[in-house]
């Protein structure tokens, strides 16, 4: 009996302890458990945040950054390829242009000069050829030192486009051969834009007169027409007549501006050549503007000469005085027909406003 009571006494406290332990509230979870409880695993094992978004893992972030870098690198490579393509276009088109200039000399001007030198029966005179070709003369090559000396003496206007552009092309070819693809065309383009002014000004201002002279010679002489047609059929003429070759410098000047704009369009900001290319483009735009202004001035003077030649002596004396009508700065504003009405008859008058 004493043993049972002791057992009972011993069991009682144990039972009480178990009862009190089961009734006690569970201890709070650790902070890490609370944080992790906001995420749940999907059947595929991917962790999803409580707000439905996936966590931004360092691995995923690195993959996105790598993709963006690859995209930027591909874009830069495309621009670099476009830039090289534009540089190739500059030198390739200049080769074609200089070749056509030299063909003009070979097929037309040199044979025509020989014909003009004929002691008797000359088809063309040197004066006629000068009016057509002006400074488009047969000077084939000039070395760099001679060219620099010519520029220093301001004799550039005596040069013809074939000579100036041959020197320009030689500089492009030398740079291309020595440094491709890391070429620096900007200094060459910049210098050329500056040097073209005198030569092209003179040639372009004479272009309309050359066209008129060529048309007049063809119309007045069947023999001259026949000779030009024979030269047109020359194998080296490549199916182009003299008028087509004479227009090459006129078309080439605006082409330089377009090529420079294209090159700048694929040149990154801060590029070593950016400033020089901008300067070359500025010079070329100024040259085109200058050419247009010179052309307008030349056209105005020709118009004044034409009007002056049509006036009789009395009209000249009463209207413009002894100095004549042609004067630099004078421009024709308007011209037209007026009718002077009298009782007996009407008199038509041609009126010019300056």
């Amino acid at each position: 009996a004493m043993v049972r009571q002791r057992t009972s006494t011993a069991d009682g406290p144990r039972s009480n302890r178990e009862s009190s332990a089961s009734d006690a509230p569970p201890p709070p979870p650790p902070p890490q458990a609370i944080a992790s409880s906001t995420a749940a695993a999907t059947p595929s094992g991917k962790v999803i945040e409580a707000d439905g978004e996936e966590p931004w893992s360092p691995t995923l972030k690195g993959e996105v950054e790598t993709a963006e870098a690859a995209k930027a690198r591909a874009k830069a490579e495309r621009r670099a390829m476009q830039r090289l393509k534009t540089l190739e276009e500059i030198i390739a088109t200049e080769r074609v242009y200089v070749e056509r200039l030299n063909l003009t000399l070979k097929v037309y001007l040199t044979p025509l000069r020989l014909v003009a030198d004929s002691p008797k029966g000359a088809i063309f005179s040197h004066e006629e050829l000068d009016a057509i070709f002006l400074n488009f003369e047969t000077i084939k090559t000039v070395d760099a030192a001679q060219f620099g000396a010519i520029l220093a003496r301001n004799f550039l206007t005596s040069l013809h486009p074939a000579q100036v552009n041959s020197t320009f092309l030689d500089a492009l070819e030398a740079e291309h051969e020595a440094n491709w693809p890391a070429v620096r065309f900007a200094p060459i383009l910049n210098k050329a834009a500056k040097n073209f002014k005198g030569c092209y000004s003179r040639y372009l201002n004479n272009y309309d007169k050359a066209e008129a002279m060529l048309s007049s010679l063809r119309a007045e002489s069947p023999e001259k027409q026949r000779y030009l047609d024979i030269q047109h059929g020359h194998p080296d003429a490549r199916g182009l007549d003299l008028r087509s070759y004479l227009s090459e410098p006129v078309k080439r000047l605006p082409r330089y501006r377009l090529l420079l704009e294209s090159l700048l369009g694929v040149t990154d900001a801060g590029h070593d050549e950016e400033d020089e290319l901008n300067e070359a483009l500025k010079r070329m735009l100024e040259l085109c503007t200058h050419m247009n202004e010179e052309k307008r001035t030349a056209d105005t003077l020709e118009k004044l000469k034409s009007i002056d030649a049509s006036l009789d002596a009395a009209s000249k004396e009463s209207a413009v005085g002894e100095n004549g009508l042609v004067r630099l700065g004078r421009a024709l504003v308007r011209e037209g027909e007026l009718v002077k009405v009298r009782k007996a008859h009407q008199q038509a008058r041609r009126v010019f406003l300056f």
Side-chain angles (χ1 to χ4, degrees):
M2 290 179 64
V3 173
R4 282 168 47 192
Q5 186 173 358
R6 212 180 281 139
T7 302
S8 172
T9 305
D11 292 341
R14 185 184 304 118
S15 177
N16 290 337
R17 283 197 303 270
E18 291 175 357
S19 176
S20 62
S22 62
D23 294 339
Q32 295 167 339
I34 294 174
S36 63
S37 66
T38 60
T42 64
S44 63
K46 185 181 292 186
V47 176
I48 302 298
E49 295 287 350
D51 57 2
E53 296 183 356
E54 297 183 14
W56 187 253
S57 68
T59 303
L60 183 59
K61 182 178 180 181
E63 290 175 355
V64 172
E65 289 177 347
T66 302
E68 290 176 350
K71 190 175 181 180
R73 184 170 58 253
K75 182 179 179 180
E77 289 174 354
R78 285 195 301 271
R79 281 177 62 84
M81 290 298 295
Q82 290 172 346
R83 192 172 195 277
L84 291 178
K85 184 177 179 181
T86 304
L87 291 170
E88 284 281 17
E89 184 181 4
I90 289 173
I91 194 169
T93 55
E94 190 65 19
R95 287 173 187 145
V96 173
Y97 175 54
V98 171
E99 181 186 23
R100 290 186 175 180
L101 294 179
N102 287 325
L103 284 176
T104 309
L105 306 180
K106 178 182 177 180
V107 175
Y108 288 102
L109 183 54
T110 301
L112 289 171
R113 289 290 186 195
L114 292 174
V115 169
D117 285 336
S118 176
K120 58 181 180 178
I123 303 175
F124 293 90
S125 68
H126 284 294
E127 290 75 15
E128 291 169 340
L129 298 180
D130 288 340
I132 295 173
F133 292 95
L134 193 63
N135 57 334
F136 207 133
E137 282 295 345
T138 51
I139 304 173
K140 289 289 184 180
T141 57
V142 178
D143 64 31
Q146 289 174 319
F147 187 69
I150 290 170
L151 295 181
R153 295 196 303 269
N154 294 320
F155 287 169
L156 191 60
T157 54
S158 67
L159 303 180
H160 62 93
Q163 180 184 358
V164 175
N165 283 87
S166 292
T167 305
F168 173 48
L169 178 59
D170 288 345
L172 292 177
E173 294 280 19
E175 176 68 15
H176 183 273
E177 183 177 352
N179 299 312
W180 186 264
V183 294
R184 290 183 57 83
F185 281 176
I188 303 171
L189 291 165
N190 198 4
K191 183 178 180 181
K194 180 171 61 175
N195 293 341
F196 284 162
K197 184 175 181 179
C199 173
Y200 278 86
S201 293
R202 195 169 174 221
Y203 184 82
L204 296 183
N205 286 340
N206 185 68
Y207 179 72
D208 286 345
K209 288 194 290 184
E211 283 271 294
M213 172 62 76
L214 186 58
S215 298
S216 175
L217 292 177
R218 284 179 175 275
E220 73 182 24
S221 172
E223 191 175 12
K224 292 176 181 178
Q225 172 72 48
R226 183 179 62 82
Y227 187 87
L228 291 174
D229 288 341
I230 291 173
Q231 294 307 106
H232 184 193
H234 191 288
D236 290 333
R238 301 179 183 179
L240 298 177
D241 62 4
L242 177 56
R243 182 173 278 104
S244 298
Y245 280 108
L246 291 176
S247 69
E248 287 293 329
V250 179
K251 296 183 292 186
R252 184 60 179 170
L253 207 58
R255 180 68 172 159
Y256 286 128
R257 177 180 62 83
L258 295 176
L259 288 169
L260 281 168
E261 289 174 343
S262 297
L263 184 56
L264 272 168
V266 290
T267 299
D268 294 330
H271 191 281
D272 291 345
E273 292 194 295
E274 183 185 19
D275 290 342
E276 283 187 290
L277 288 175
N278 276 310
E279 181 65 22
L281 178 59
K282 179 183 176 182
R283 289 182 185 276
M284 198 58 69
L285 290 172
E286 289 174 352
L287 177 58
C288 291
T289 301
H290 174 75
M291 294 295 101
N292 291 334
E293 291 174 353
E294 290 249 321
K295 185 68 172 56
R296 281 193 292 269
T297 300
D299 291 345
T300 298
L301 289 176
E302 286 301 312
K303 182 66 175 177
L304 292 176
K305 289 178 183 178
S306 175
I307 296 172
D308 188 72
S310 68
L311 298 176
D312 55 36
S315 298
K316 285 184 181 181
E317 185 176 354
S318 62
V320 297
E322 60 182 13
N323 293 327
L325 183 63
V326 181
R327 189 178 304 168
L328 191 63
R330 173 172 284 164
L332 176 65
V333 178
R334 192 169 182 178
E335 63 176 298
E337 296 285 347
L338 289 180
V339 177
K340 184 177 181 180
V341 180
R342 294 189 172 185
K343 291 182 179 180
H345 61 279
Q346 296 180 348
Q347 293 179 328
R349 293 287 186 269
R350 187 75 179 172
V351 179
F352 303 95
L353 176 63
F354 300 99

